[in-house]
């Protein structure tokens, strides 16, 4: 900062000197401009006087010409006088002409001088004005630079002052923290002593229990230790599953792009340089397109293998390289795709060479084809590298001795480097393909089909490039996690002995989890007293058992069926009574015989009406045939009884109508009472159903809450078990961490004091410089 301030100060002095010089030059130029303006005013005054003099001379010439004309007119009258006066006029004319000639010459000379002076003045004025503008712009620029520098100096001074205040505050806080750290270290030392004493006593007890109860220590033997279940890290498993899901999405994207690339390459081979629709392509290209047509059978298994690998990684499993058996299947699918690339590579190279030999291929297009020739070889080589390293990762699930744990980091690093190389090669292929497509569009025989195919190839290559870039960055970002999470094993052991031991370990883990769940079964909670009191009314109003509810439902259904039958029966009777009433009103004045015939006709119509009502009852109620026939027989008997009653009491019309009215009113009252009873029963049944539904919803909610509590309890149990195992190690590491923190804090305080002293010195120097 001091050197920067010194440089800025030197530049400021130079700029001030330049500004002062420019101001002096501008002042001198302004003085010169004033002098030129004065000389211009003098010349302007002289010009005005000369113009006035010229005007006077012109007037005088006019007067002389007028006198000459008058003298000529008078000369005609008197020749003598003319002759004598002509001599005088000629002399005067000669004098006047000489004088006029002199004045004209003098005027001409003055005009020339005035014009030259005016031109010189204008030129000088323009030069001075341009120079003045340049000087004013320079002065404005210098002033802006000076203003910016002053502003910058003030800002730096303010910033340094703020930094000084912040550093002072920070130093005070650090001092307070140091005091707190000292107090905490004393407390931690006291706690450490207490813990050491407690742990010593517990260690003695645990050693006694181990010596008495444990028959042998299986961690000493690697063969037995491989069967022990390692510490289950649920967070690690969830993280691995998440990463496997991301890798599956990237592989699916790459598979889609590879399918499109091979398919559009097949289309390109069939239309360029020879279109198969108009002419036969070469046998080489035919074989090449035939192989490319089979790309789906090699590319699709990559997605399936990755999907099976993702499904094998769950929350309950222990995912290491020894247990990922599905990685071998993915490696085999990758090997089959690599064989497909090796099979099509010579045909692809020969196809590019054949395209270069075509008459349509220019020199630039030939160069692009050769670049693609090299890129395809590199692409196959990169896939070979990836297959090699992935097959190495699949070895521990088959033969653990084939890949040591010390080499896991090396294999993962090489996979990340290969993925980055794959991305670089795809970028080169995309660039060369785009150049090749632009050159092929300029070919005179280029069709729209070729242009569209080239665009599709470019889009698929771009998708491949993006997918490879995402995959490479994803693998590089998670490289440490892959290395650490896929290489842990049983505590005290270096590795699993064989895939069989890893499988046995997973079985033991399941058994241990089931045993812990059986030990930690939660007790069933009783219903709280407040909730029991709140539900007492509902429980009393509802039925006590399922059998009682079934009986009530059956009784209510029977009552509903009887009510429906009675309803149909009385509807039928009402219809018959209506028909009878109409006929009696029409034929009230007829005789008894006519009335009897009408009743016989009504009796004949009765079966048809009964049949119609039978159909309606069958459709609505869907009751058995016996019940409907019973209703019809009862309605027919009742109608016959009504007919007999009418025949017996036919003469007395009023008494007959009263009987019918009273009969129907009684039936209506009876029906309304039955209907009210049915409504009350239905309301009661609806209330019971609502109470049962409420009890069912409460039971479901309690079931959900109990399941959630069970899950939380199981998670707490696993977490406590894991924390119990790590408790001893953490107690030992706390002491080391506190000692390291104290040393780091002391070093940090020393460094902060040094930086504070340096910054204070710099601030003092800047203050002195600014003053």
């Amino acid at each position: 900062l001091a050197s920067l301030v010194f440089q800025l100060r030197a530049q400021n002095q130079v700029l001030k000197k330049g500004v002062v010089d420019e101001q002096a030059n501008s002042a001198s130029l302004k003085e010169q401009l004033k002098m030129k303006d004065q000389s211009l005013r003098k010349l302007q005054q002289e010009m005005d006087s000369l113009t006035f003099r010229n005007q006077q001379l012109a007037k005088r010439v006019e007067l002389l010409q007028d006198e000459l004309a008058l003298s000529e007119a008078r000369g005609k009258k008197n020749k003598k006088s003319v002759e004598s006066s002509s001599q005088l006029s000629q002399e005067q004319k000669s004098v006047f002409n000489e004088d006029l000639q002199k004045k004209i010459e003098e005027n001409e000379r003055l005009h020339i001088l005035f014009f030259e002076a005016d031109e010189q003045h204008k030129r000088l004025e323009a030069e001075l004005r341009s120079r003045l503008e340049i000087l004013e712009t320079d002065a404005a620029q210098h002033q802006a630079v000076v203003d910016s520098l002053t502003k910058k100096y003030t800002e730096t001074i303010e910033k340094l002052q703020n930094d000084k205040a912040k550093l002072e505050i920070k130093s005070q806080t650090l001092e307070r923290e140091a005091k707190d750290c000292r107090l905490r270290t004393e407390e931690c030392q006291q706690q450490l002593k207490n813990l050491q004493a407690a742990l010593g006593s517990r260690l003695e007890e645990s050693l006694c229990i181990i010596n008495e109860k444990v028959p042998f220590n299986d961690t000493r033997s690697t063969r037995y230790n491989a069967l022990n279940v390692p510490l289950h890290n649920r967070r690690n498993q969830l993280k691995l599953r998440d990463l496997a899901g991301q890798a599956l999405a990237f592989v699916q994207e790459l598979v889609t792009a590879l399918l499109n690339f091979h398919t559009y390459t097949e289309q390109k081979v069939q239309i360029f340089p020879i279109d198969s629709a108009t002419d036969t392509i070469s046998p080489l290209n035919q074989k090449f397109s035939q192989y490319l047509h089979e790309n789906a059978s090699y590319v699709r298994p990559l997605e399936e293998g990755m999907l099976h690998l993702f499904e094998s990684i769950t929350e309950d499993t222990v995912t290491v390289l020894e247990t990922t058996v599905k990685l071998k299947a993915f490696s085999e699918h990758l090997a089959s795709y690599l064989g497909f690339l090796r099979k099509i590579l010579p045909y692809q190279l020969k196809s590019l060479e054949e395209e270069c030999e075509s008459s349509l291929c220019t020199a630039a297009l030939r160069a692009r084809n050769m670049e693609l020739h090299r890129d395809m070889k590199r692409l196959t080589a990169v896939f070979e590298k990836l297959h090699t390293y992935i097959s190495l990762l699949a070895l521990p699930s088959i033969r653990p001795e084939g890949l040591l744990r010390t080499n896991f980091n090396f294999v993962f690093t090489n996979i990340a480097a290969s993925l980055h190389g794959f991305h670089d090669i795809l970028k080169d292929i995309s660039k060369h393909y785009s150049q090749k497509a632009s050159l092929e569009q300029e070919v005179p025989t280029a069709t729209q089909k070729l242009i569209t195919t080239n665009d599709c190839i470019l889009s698929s290559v771009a998708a491949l490039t993006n997918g490879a870039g995402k995959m490479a960055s994803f693998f590089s970002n998670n490289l440490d996690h892959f290395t650490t999470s896929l290489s842990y094993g049983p505590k005290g052991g270096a590795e699993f002995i064989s895939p069989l031991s890893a499988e046995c370990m997973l079985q033991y883990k399941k058994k241990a989890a089931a045993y812990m769940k059986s030990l930690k079964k939660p007790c069933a909670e009783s219903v709280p007293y407040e909730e029991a009191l709140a539900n007492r009314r509902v429980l009393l109003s509802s039925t006590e058992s399922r059998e009682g509810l079934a009986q009530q439902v059956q009784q209510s259904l029977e009552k509903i069926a009887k009510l429906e039958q009675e309803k149909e029966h009385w509807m039928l009777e009402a219809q018959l009574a209506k028909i009878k009433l109409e006929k009696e009103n029409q034929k009230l004045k007829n005789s008894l015989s006519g009335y009897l015939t009408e009743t016989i006709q009504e009796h004949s119509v009765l079966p048809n009406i009964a049949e119609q009502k039978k159909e309606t009852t069958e459709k609505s109620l869907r009751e058995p045939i016996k019940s409907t026939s019973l209703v019809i027989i009862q309605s027919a008997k009742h109608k016959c009884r009504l007919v007999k009653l009418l025949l017996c009491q036919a003469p007395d019309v009023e008494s007959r109508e009263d009987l019918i009215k009273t009969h129907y009113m009684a039936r209506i009252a009876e029906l309304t009472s039955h209907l009210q009873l049915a409504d009350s029963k239905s309301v009661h049944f609806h209330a019971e159903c609502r109470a049962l539904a409420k009890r069912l919803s409460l039971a479901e909610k309690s079931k959900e809450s109990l399941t959630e509590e069970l899950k939380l309890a199981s998670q707490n149990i696993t977490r406590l078990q894991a924390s119990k195992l790590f408790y001893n190690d953490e107690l030992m590491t706390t002491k080391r961490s506190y000692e390291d923190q104290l040393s780091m804090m002391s070093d940090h305080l020393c460094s902060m004091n040094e930086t504070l002293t340096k910054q204070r010195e710099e601030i003092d120097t800047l203050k002195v410089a600014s003053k």
Side-chain angles (χ1 to χ4, degrees):
L1 287 171
S3 62
L4 179 63
V5 170
F6 182 74
Q7 291 178 1
L8 291 173
R9 192 181 297 157
Q11 291 178 2
N12 192 7
Q13 294 293 332
V14 173
L15 289 171
K16 284 182 179 178
K17 187 176 180 181
V19 170
V20 170
D21 294 338
E22 292 298 331
Q23 288 177 353
N25 290 329
S26 62
S28 63
L29 287 172
K30 286 180 180 178
E31 291 294 331
Q32 290 179 6
L33 185 62
K34 287 180 181 178
M35 292 173 66
K36 293 296 180 182
D37 288 334
Q38 290 176 0
S39 63
L40 181 64
R41 290 192 191 95
K42 289 179 182 178
L43 290 172
Q44 189 70 30
Q45 290 175 0
E46 291 178 358
M47 184 66 187
D48 293 336
S49 63
L50 287 172
T51 52
F52 180 72
R53 185 64 179 166
N54 286 332
Q55 289 176 0
Q56 286 181 350
L57 290 172
K59 288 180 180 180
R60 188 174 179 185
V61 169
E62 288 179 356
L63 289 172
L64 290 172
Q65 286 178 356
D66 292 337
E67 290 177 358
L68 182 61
L70 290 172
S71 64
E72 285 179 356
R74 291 173 183 173
K76 291 180 181 179
K77 296 180 180 180
N78 194 359
K79 294 180 180 179
K80 292 180 180 181
S81 59
V82 169
E83 290 177 358
S84 60
S85 61
S86 63
Q87 293 176 356
L88 293 171
S89 62
Q90 287 177 358
E91 291 177 358
Q92 290 177 354
K93 282 181 181 180
S94 62
V95 172
F96 287 148
N97 288 330
E98 289 177 0
D99 193 6
L100 183 62
Q101 187 67 29
K102 287 179 181 178
K103 296 293 182 183
I104 289 168
E105 289 176 356
E106 186 178 0
N107 193 8
E108 185 177 359
R109 184 173 58 79
L110 290 172
H111 272 294
I112 291 168
L113 289 172
F114 177 73
F115 180 74
E116 290 177 353
D118 191 12
E119 289 293 328
Q120 188 176 2
H121 177 264
K122 288 181 179 178
R123 185 172 62 254
L124 185 61
E125 184 180 3
E127 290 176 357
L128 291 173
R129 285 184 185 279
S130 63
R131 190 174 176 186
L132 182 62
E133 289 176 356
I134 292 167
L135 291 172
E136 286 179 350
T137 54
D138 292 338
Q141 290 177 357
H142 291 310
Q143 189 64 33
V145 171
V146 170
D147 294 336
S148 64
L149 288 173
T150 54
K151 186 177 179 181
K152 190 174 181 181
Y153 293 154
T154 54
E155 288 177 354
T156 52
I157 290 166
E158 290 177 356
K159 187 177 180 182
L160 290 171
Q161 289 176 353
N162 293 327
D163 292 339
K164 180 184 176 182
K166 289 179 181 178
L167 289 170
E168 289 176 353
I169 294 167
K170 194 172 182 181
S171 64
Q172 293 175 1
T173 55
L174 288 173
E175 289 175 357
R176 293 195 202 96
E177 288 178 359
K179 291 179 181 178
D180 295 336
C181 288
R182 291 190 192 98
L183 294 174
R184 279 188 286 174
T185 51
E186 292 176 358
E187 292 176 358
C188 290
Q189 286 176 357
Q190 188 64 32
Q191 289 179 3
L192 185 61
K193 290 178 182 178
N194 297 329
L195 288 172
Q196 283 178 353
L199 287 174
S201 61
R202 290 179 65 183
L203 180 62
E204 291 177 358
E205 292 177 0
S206 61
L207 287 173
C208 293
I209 292 168
I210 289 168
N211 292 326
E212 292 176 0
K213 302 294 183 182
V214 179
F216 68 96
N217 188 7
D218 56 358
T219 57
R220 294 178 182 176
S221 174
T222 56
R223 187 177 297 278
Y224 295 138
N225 191 28
L227 298 176
N228 286 327
V229 179
L231 299 175
H232 183 65
N233 192 347
R234 180 174 174 273
R235 186 180 298 171
N236 185 19
Q237 285 297 119
L238 293 175
K239 177 71 173 174
L240 276 176
R241 184 167 176 81
D242 186 20
L243 294 177
Q246 295 180 21
L248 175 62
F250 293 143
V251 169
Q252 288 174 349
E253 187 177 352
L254 284 174
V255 164
T256 305
L258 284 171
L259 287 172
N260 293 331
F261 177 68
H262 292 313
T263 305
Y264 294 133
T265 305
E266 179 188 357
Q267 294 180 7
K268 174 73 179 296
V269 167
Q270 292 180 358
I271 61 174
F272 188 81
I274 299 171
D275 194 353
S276 61
T278 58
D279 198 357
T280 57
I281 60 176
S282 63
L284 176 70
N285 285 333
Q286 288 179 2
K287 197 71 175 176
F288 184 35
S289 63
Q290 181 181 355
Y291 286 151
L292 285 173
H293 192 69
E294 302 171 355
N295 65 86
S297 61
Y298 297 98
V299 179
R300 289 290 184 192
L302 293 174
E303 181 180 355
E304 294 176 0
M306 196 66 199
L307 180 61
H308 293 320
L309 180 61
F310 168 71
E311 290 174 351
S312 66
I313 300 171
T314 60
E315 181 182 349
D316 298 329
T317 58
V318 178
T319 303
V320 290
L321 288 178
E322 287 83 2
T323 59
T324 53
V325 183
K326 299 295 182 180
L327 190 60
K328 178 63 178 175
F330 180 74
S331 174
E332 291 174 354
H333 295 318
L334 186 61
S336 65
Y337 179 68
L338 178 61
F340 171 71
L341 288 179
R342 287 172 178 169
K343 182 171 67 173
I344 65 171
L345 180 62
Y347 293 96
Q348 195 165 15
L349 301 180
K350 290 292 183 182
S351 177
L352 289 171
E353 292 172 0
E354 184 179 342
E355 187 178 339
C356 292
E357 294 173 359
S358 176
S359 60
L360 299 174
C361 188
T362 60
L365 189 58
R366 191 176 294 109
R368 300 290 84 77
N369 286 334
M370 296 311 295
E371 288 174 352
L372 286 174
H373 192 280
R374 291 189 294 271
D375 292 338
M376 292 303 168
K377 290 181 180 178
R378 292 167 59 200
L379 183 64
T380 308
V382 165
F383 270 103
E384 288 177 354
K385 280 186 180 180
L386 285 172
H387 171 253
T388 302
Y389 292 124
I390 290 173
S391 61
L392 284 174
L393 287 181
L395 275 177
S397 62
I398 305 166
R399 292 185 297 107
E401 66 275 6
L403 181 64
L404 299 176
R405 287 191 173 228
T406 55
N407 296 325
F408 284 1
N409 191 9
F410 176 74
V411 174
F412 281 116
T413 306
N414 285 328
I415 288 174
S418 301
L419 287 172
H420 282 289
F422 180 48
H423 182 226
D424 296 335
I425 291 167
L426 286 174
K427 285 196 288 187
D428 294 337
I429 290 172
S430 178
K431 182 177 70 175
H432 297 154
Y433 252 117
S434 62
Q435 294 173 358
K436 184 176 184 293
S438 61
L439 291 172
E440 286 178 355
Q441 288 181 2
E442 298 175 359
V443 176
T445 59
T447 60
Q448 186 63 35
K449 189 176 180 182
L450 176 62
I451 295 169
T452 306
T453 306
N454 284 333
D455 292 338
C456 294
I457 290 173
L458 286 175
S459 64
S460 62
V461 172
L464 264 176
T465 307
N466 292 330
K470 291 177 184 177
M471 180 69 80
S473 60
F474 160 75
F475 205 86
S476 298
N477 294 332
N478 298 291
L479 185 61
D480 296 334
H481 185 75
F482 285 139
T483 306
T484 55
S485 61
L486 293 177
S487 59
Y488 78 99
K491 188 176 180 180
E495 59 185 3
F496 292 100
I497 301 300
S498 65
L500 184 60
S501 65
E503 187 176 356
C504 292
M505 179 272 298
L506 292 177
Q507 292 178 2
Y508 294 153
K509 179 182 175 297
K510 292 178 182 178
K511 289 181 180 179
Y515 179 68
M516 294 301 292
K517 285 181 181 178
S518 64
L519 289 177
K520 301 294 182 180
K521 281 184 180 179
C523 297
E525 294 182 359
S526 62
V527 179
Y529 183 70
E530 292 82 2
E531 187 177 355
L533 287 177
N535 296 329
R536 183 172 179 275
R537 293 180 181 178
V538 178
L539 292 171
L540 290 174
S541 62
S542 62
T543 55
E544 293 181 357
S545 63
R546 186 175 294 178
E547 294 178 358
L549 286 172
Q551 289 177 2
Q552 288 183 2
V553 170
Q554 186 67 28
Q555 290 175 3
S556 60
L557 288 173
E558 291 176 358
K559 289 176 182 179
I560 289 167
K562 288 180 180 180
L563 288 171
E564 289 292 337
Q565 290 175 5
E566 289 179 359
K567 180 183 175 183
E568 292 294 331
H569 174 66
W570 291 113
M571 284 176 67
L572 207 60
E573 286 184 353
Q575 189 175 3
L576 288 171
K578 187 177 179 181
I579 293 168
K580 287 177 183 180
L581 183 61
E582 289 177 356
K583 290 182 178 180
E584 286 175 357
N585 290 328
Q586 289 177 2
K587 299 179 179 181
L588 188 60
K589 295 179 181 181
N590 294 336
S591 62
L592 183 62
S593 62
Y595 183 75
L596 291 172
T597 56
E598 288 175 1
T599 54
I600 292 166
Q601 288 178 358
E602 289 174 4
H603 187 71
S604 64
V605 171
L606 184 61
N608 295 326
I609 297 169
E611 290 177 359
Q612 292 177 0
K613 293 301 174 181
K614 183 181 178 181
E615 292 177 358
T616 56
T617 52
E618 285 177 355
K619 290 180 181 179
S620 61
L621 297 175
R622 294 179 182 177
E623 292 290 331
I625 299 170
K626 293 180 180 180
S627 63
T628 54
S629 62
L630 182 62
V631 173
I632 293 166
I633 291 165
Q634 289 177 357
S635 61
K637 289 179 180 179
H638 185 68
K639 286 168 188 174
C640 292
R641 189 169 62 250
L642 285 174
V643 169
K644 289 179 181 178
L645 185 63
L646 290 172
L647 288 172
C648 293
Q649 297 179 358
D652 195 357
V653 178
E654 293 180 357
S655 62
R656 185 182 61 202
E657 288 179 355
D658 292 335
L659 286 172
I660 292 169
K661 185 177 180 181
T662 54
H663 177 73
Y664 280 115
M665 288 298 289
R667 292 299 298 167
I668 288 167
E670 187 180 357
L671 285 174
T672 51
S673 64
H674 284 299
L675 183 61
Q676 288 176 358
L677 182 62
D679 289 336
S680 64
K681 289 182 178 178
S682 64
V683 169
H684 178 68
F685 180 69
H686 180 65
E688 288 183 353
C689 289
R690 287 182 64 185
L692 287 172
K694 193 178 289 185
R695 288 176 63 189
L696 182 61
S697 63
L698 291 172
E700 288 178 352
K701 288 181 181 178
S702 64
K703 182 181 177 182
E704 290 177 357
S705 64
L706 288 172
T707 53
E708 290 178 357
E709 289 177 358
L710 183 61
K711 288 181 181 178
L712 291 172
S714 62
Q715 291 175 1
N716 290 327
I717 288 165
T718 55
R719 182 171 57 81
L720 289 170
Q721 288 175 355
S723 63
K724 181 180 177 182
L725 292 172
F726 282 107
Y727 183 67
N728 296 325
D729 295 333
E730 288 178 356
L731 288 174
M732 295 300 293
T733 54
T734 49
K735 182 179 177 181
R736 296 173 186 171
S737 64
Y738 282 130
E739 291 176 354
D740 295 336
Q741 285 179 4
L742 284 172
S743 61
M744 287 173 66
M745 288 297 294
S746 61
D747 296 336
H748 186 65
L749 285 171
C750 293
S751 63
M752 287 299 297
N753 289 324
E754 291 176 358
T755 53
L756 282 171
T757 53
K758 288 180 181 179
Q759 288 175 358
R760 284 173 182 170
E761 291 174 358
E762 291 177 357
I763 289 165
D764 294 333
T765 54
L766 288 171
K767 283 183 178 179
V768 173
S770 63
K771 289 178 181 179

